[in-house]
Amino acid sequence: MSSSQPTLNLNDRLLLPHSDTTIPRLGFGVYQLRDSICTAACLEALAAGYRHIDGAELYRNSHIVRDAVRRSGLERKDVFLTTKVGSPMSRRRATTQNASIKEAVARIGGEEEGDYVDLLLIHVPGSSHQHRRNLWAALERIHSKGIAKSIGVSNFGVRHLKEMREFATMWPPSVNQIELHPWCQQRELVSYCRSHGIVVQAYSPLATGARLSDAVLGAVAAKHGKSPAQVLVRYSLQKGWVPLPRSAHTGRIRENADVFDFELDPEDMAKLDELDEGVQGARFPANVK
């Protein structure tokens, strides 16, 4: 491995703004994982060395993630848990109210005194300034009580982040979780986040598997003797993002974490950078502005 890229490993963490909380550089996503499949996937991920699970109220599996962490034998402090609130699908739960957000945190973090979630995010910006203002104020109150160690946002564009400066007591948000992979790089947004110290998390770093047969990606993978998925995870890491790959398959869960024994050289990174298609390349275009 050359010295051009700082050495990365599965235990690497980044410090989040406004706190002494550190976030693991690699996470495990649980979107669309249900019941025993979710339990098995989380246990496998934790056994493989992941220490970061990304959940959301919308996924309806927070209690399963919580149970898997308890069953894993790991101490709670050693597993970084994220949940998200305020999605349109769950707005009927009145998530701008403190009690409802506390319930969301408890579902994944626990219900006992002193239980917490490591990161609490607004899932989507929603349709109005007032909605974002109210919801962020509620997250700030939850944070002040120690129930959420850090707070941030997801799917926020540059205009939403700038708008937050008008009302946020805590700015910048610790994290902005957005769709990122070679075909959807959101360069202006990533640059804005980076320049203001906002940690960028990459959901769907494998582009939901839809581009794994891409010829350019395949050539880079063959060059390194790795799978296309491993190259995509490594690409995210070398871009400075926090990738959140998701899988229900034992082999793929482990494969996606086995990305610390090779390095993409500048030529590889440039070839993957050239695949950018903007919003047309997004798997969730409604969330890409």
Side-chain angles (χ1 to χ4, degrees), residues 167-180:
F167 57 75
T169 301
M170 292 180 62
W171 197 95
S174 294
V175 161
N176 190 15
Q177 185 181 126
I178 57 178
E179 179 178 349
L180 287 171

Side-chain angles (χ1 to χ4, degrees), residues 29-160:
V30 295
Y31 176 56
Q32 293 184 329
L33 298 183
R34 297 280 190 262
D35 303 323
S36 61
I37 293 174
C38 183
T39 299
C42 289
L43 288 172
E44 184 63 31
L46 293 169
Y50 294 82
R51 293 296 181 266
H52 174 186
I53 299 179
D54 179 73
E57 272 292 277
L58 180 65
Y59 305 166
R60 299 181 182 179
N61 54 14
S62 293
H63 61 294
I64 299 172
V65 172
R66 181 186 66 191
D67 182 61
V69 172
R70 288 175 175 170
R71 290 173 56 182
S72 72
L74 294 168
E75 293 189 43
R76 171 64 185 87
K77 66 181 179 62
D78 294 328
V79 182
F80 188 99
L81 294 178
T82 299
T83 195
K84 312 179 197 75
V85 296
S87 76
M89 294 292 289
S90 60
R91 200 166 293 166
R92 66 184 183 275
R93 302 182 64 89
T95 51
T96 55
Q97 297 179 6
N98 278 5
S100 185
I101 296 178
K102 287 174 68 176
E103 290 171 6
V105 170
R107 269 186 279 277
I108 193 168
E111 301 172 355
E112 302 298 324
E113 183 73 25
D115 285 343
Y116 63 94
V117 70
D118 297 276
L119 181 62
L120 177 62
L121 305 179
I122 297 177
H123 204 150
V124 292
S127 60
S128 74
H129 171 96
Q130 194 61 48
H131 170 74
R132 292 185 287 276
R133 184 187 188 107
N134 291 345
L135 192 50
W136 186 252
L139 263 65
E140 289 183 331
R141 288 191 292 270
I142 294 293
H143 176 266
S144 71
K145 296 176 181 178
I147 300 171
K149 300 297 184 183
S150 291
I151 56 176
V153 298
S154 180
N155 296 304
F156 271 45
V158 172
R159 74 177 182 88
H160 301 121

